[in-house]
């Protein structure tokens, strides 16, 4: 195994700061975890387009080959010269059409060519559309990122300044090559007409526009896992803190998708068997939008569920235990776990009473 081939590229300086900003402030609208899907591409002879939206940065296995050539963990097209219909280097490109898992406003992208050293594209461009159905030949595409040079074996992190809502993006790479992962960071735009009046909605769900803003610790796993769709697939697919050496608690603050009541709560410790929290507490607050850590912790937090025992690898449902009236509205909730540990999912069901403040 080649040490050189296994070395992963890491961001530094301003790009690292921009990448951290994207991950802390926005969500990946294209991730397969939230329903993102690659619909079609011009060519994926060497490596399938579906790899683009997978978790992680991709891996490299030195001696792994397929009948078509070197196995690569990304999307890789064949060399474009000699192709039927090939045009010029300026006009010819490969493309991949992606349906976002959540419609939204795009704030930034990461075109990650990790481990594509001699086979990365020279440049990329990104277009978007807002389409109820599947894009077709009549779809009008709008430019989000003009043709931009990219580096091989690197994260290419770029901010996007556009306030329109998109449902699909088209990634172009010039003239051909391979991209390991594609991240589309932004704000979820929920169509509330998809819900009926009086429906109980999981207002914490990332799919509905909930956002994990701040946590005390996420040493083992990301804060957004707590509000992802579905049950966790393993212990890494949850929110887990390191072991505290004081009474705790650890905590996570989530901005709800909209102002709403809290009428049913589910706390799921799926896969957490030897490291689930002993107890938890849930609180709520009503406030305007803020990401300032001091301001968030200083909100007027009101008890929703008193400190309550949890159990390993189990869904815990709470209705009668709620201490707040059904008509009371909250914009933020805080989950505290004592003293530490892991929670797979948190569901906060309520009725929407107004837009997020």
């Amino acid at each position: 195994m080649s040490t050189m081939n296994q070395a992963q590229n890491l961001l530094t300086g301003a790009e690292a700061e921009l990448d951290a900003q994207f991950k802390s402030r926005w969500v990946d609208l294209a991730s397969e975890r939230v329903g993102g899907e690659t619909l079609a591409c011009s060519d994926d002879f060497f490596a399938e387009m579906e790899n683009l939206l997978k978790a992680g940065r991709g891996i490299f296995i030195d001696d792994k080959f397929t009948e078509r050539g070197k196995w690569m963990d990304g999307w890789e097209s064949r060399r474009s010269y000699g192709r039927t219909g090939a045009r010029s280097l300026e006009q010819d490109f490969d493309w991949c059409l992606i349906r976002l898992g959540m419609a939204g406003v795009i704030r930034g992208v990461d075109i990650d060519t990790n481990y594509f050293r001699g086979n990365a594209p020279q440049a990329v461009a990104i277009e978007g559309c807002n389409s109820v159905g599947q894009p077709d030949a009549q779809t009008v595409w709008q430019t989000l990122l003009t043709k931009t040079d990219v580096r091989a074996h690197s994260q290419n992190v770029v901010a996007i300044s556009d306030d329109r809502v998109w449902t699909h993006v088209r990634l172009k790479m010039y003239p051909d090559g391979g991209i390991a992962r594609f991240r589309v960071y932004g704000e979820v735009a929920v169509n509330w007409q998809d819900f009926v009046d009086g429906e109980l909605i999981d207002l914490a769900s990332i799919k509905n526009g909930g956002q994990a803003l701040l946590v005390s610790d996420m040493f083992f796993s990301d804060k957004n896992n707590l509000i992802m769709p579905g049950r966790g697939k393993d212990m890494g697919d949850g929110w887990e803190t390191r072991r505290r050496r004081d009474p705790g608690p650890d905590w996570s603050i989530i901005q709800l998708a909209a102002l709403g009541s809290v009428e049913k709560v589910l706390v799921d410790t799926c896969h957490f068997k030897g490291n689930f929290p002993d107890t938890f507490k849930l609180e709520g607050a009503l406030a305007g939008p803020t990401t300032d850590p001091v301001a968030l912790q200083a909100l007027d937090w009101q008890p929703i569920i008193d400190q309550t025992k949890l159990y390993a690898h189990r869904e815990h449902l709470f209705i009668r235990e709620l201490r707040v009236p059904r008509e009371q509205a909250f914009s933020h909730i805080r989950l505290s776990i004592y003293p530490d540990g892991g929670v797979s999912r948190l569901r906060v069901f309520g009725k929407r009473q107004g837009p997020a403040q």
Side-chain angles (χ1 to χ4, degrees):
M1 183 178 294
S2 166
T3 304
M4 181 195 75
N5 284 346
Q6 288 298 312
Q8 189 173 87
N9 175 275
L10 298 175
L11 289 175
T12 58
E15 278 192 301
E17 292 179 9
L18 188 60
D19 182 57
Q21 178 185 334
F22 287 169
K23 290 175 179 176
S24 63
R25 293 188 60 186
W26 319 121
V27 297
D28 182 2
L29 302 173
S31 169
E32 67 171 5
R33 295 183 66 198
V34 297
E37 182 184 5
T38 51
L39 300 178
C41 69
S42 57
D43 185 271
D44 58 355
F45 183 87
F46 286 116
E48 296 80 8
M49 62 182 179
E50 289 82 3
N51 293 329
L52 276 175
L53 309 184
K54 290 182 177 178
R57 293 196 59 201
I59 61 173
F60 187 90
I61 302 176
D62 237 7
D63 55 357
K64 185 172 181 178
F65 288 82
T66 74
E67 61 182 13
R68 293 196 168 193
K70 180 71 183 74
W71 178 88
M72 294 296 290
D73 189 8
W75 166 46
E76 185 180 3
S77 67
R78 74 189 80 198
R79 301 189 188 215
S80 59
Y81 57 78
R83 280 195 212 169
T84 302
R87 293 161 289 182
S88 67
L89 286 177
E90 180 61 30
Q91 293 178 310
D92 205 37
F93 53 83
D94 279 310
W95 54 267
C96 183
L97 174 60
I98 296 163
R99 183 182 67 83
L100 300 178
M102 304 174 291
V105 178
I106 297 172
R107 299 302 187 191
V109 294
D110 178 5
I111 305 101
D112 190 354
T113 58
N114 197 36
Y115 295 123
F116 286 91
R117 290 182 170 85
N119 47 356
Q122 291 180 325
V124 299
I126 301 169
E127 299 168 325
C129 75
N130 191 321
S131 176
V132 175
Q134 198 96 322
D136 54 27
Q138 282 68 52
T139 299
V140 177
W141 292 91
Q142 306 293 330
T143 299
L144 288 169
L145 179 67
T146 58
K147 187 177 178 183
T148 302
D149 289 344
V150 292
R151 302 183 307 277
H153 187 49
S154 299
Q155 285 178 259
N156 296 270
V157 182
V158 185
I160 302 291
S161 180
D162 194 307
D163 290 330
R164 290 173 289 181
V165 174
W166 310 101
T167 58
H168 299 74
V169 294
R170 184 163 61 180
L171 172 63
K172 296 179 176 180
M173 59 179 179
Y174 296 83
D176 52 36
I179 297 170
R181 297 291 188 267
F182 181 49
R183 308 293 180 217
V184 181
Y185 294 104
E187 305 169 62
V188 178
V190 181
N191 183 358
W192 293 110
Q193 294 181 349
D194 291 340
F195 300 89
V196 299
D197 291 342
E199 179 178 353
L200 277 182
I201 304 167
D202 181 2
L203 296 172
S205 169
I206 201 168
K207 291 277 286 184
N208 294 333
Q211 190 174 359
L213 297 179
L214 189 67
V215 292
S216 58
D217 181 88
M218 54 177 181
F219 184 85
F220 289 109
S221 47
D222 188 81
K223 65 184 187 301
N224 282 318
N225 290 345
L226 195 61
I227 55 175
M228 283 287 176
R231 294 196 80 188
K233 62 182 177 63
D234 53 37
M235 200 171 70
D237 186 18
W239 168 53
E240 184 184 3
T241 68
R242 75 188 81 198
R243 300 186 190 214
R244 298 184 69 101
R245 300 309 181 194
D246 59 53
D250 279 315
W251 47 264
S252 174
I253 296 176
I254 295 166
Q255 180 175 305
L256 299 178
L259 295 182
S261 59
V262 176
E263 302 186 28
K264 183 169 73 170
V265 173
L266 187 145
V267 180
D268 189 359
T269 57
C270 184
H271 302 296
F272 290 98
K273 299 175 181 178
N275 50 354
F276 64 96
D278 180 49
T279 60
F280 87 101
K281 178 172 68 177
L282 191 71
E283 300 164 292
L286 185 61
T290 180
T291 57
D292 179 69
V294 175
L296 284 169
Q297 294 181 73
L299 293 179
D300 181 18
W301 293 103
Q302 300 180 44
I304 296 176
I305 300 175
D306 290 331
Q307 192 168 340
T308 302
K309 177 69 178 171
L310 289 174
Y311 299 90
H313 190 53
R314 183 184 300 183
E315 287 185 318
H316 307 74
L317 181 63
F318 302 95
I319 299 175
R320 292 176 294 276
E321 295 84 354
L322 271 59
R323 293 187 53 189
V324 294
R326 292 187 173 183
E327 63 274 11
Q328 185 170 355
F330 296 97
S331 60
H332 296 72
I333 57 102
R334 180 169 65 185
L335 172 70
S336 297
I337 55 174
Y338 297 81
D340 53 31
V343 175
S344 179
R345 297 291 189 267
L346 173 68
R347 309 293 183 213
V348 180
F349 296 96
K351 296 187 180 74
R352 177 176 175 261
Q353 298 184 9
Q357 292 190 337

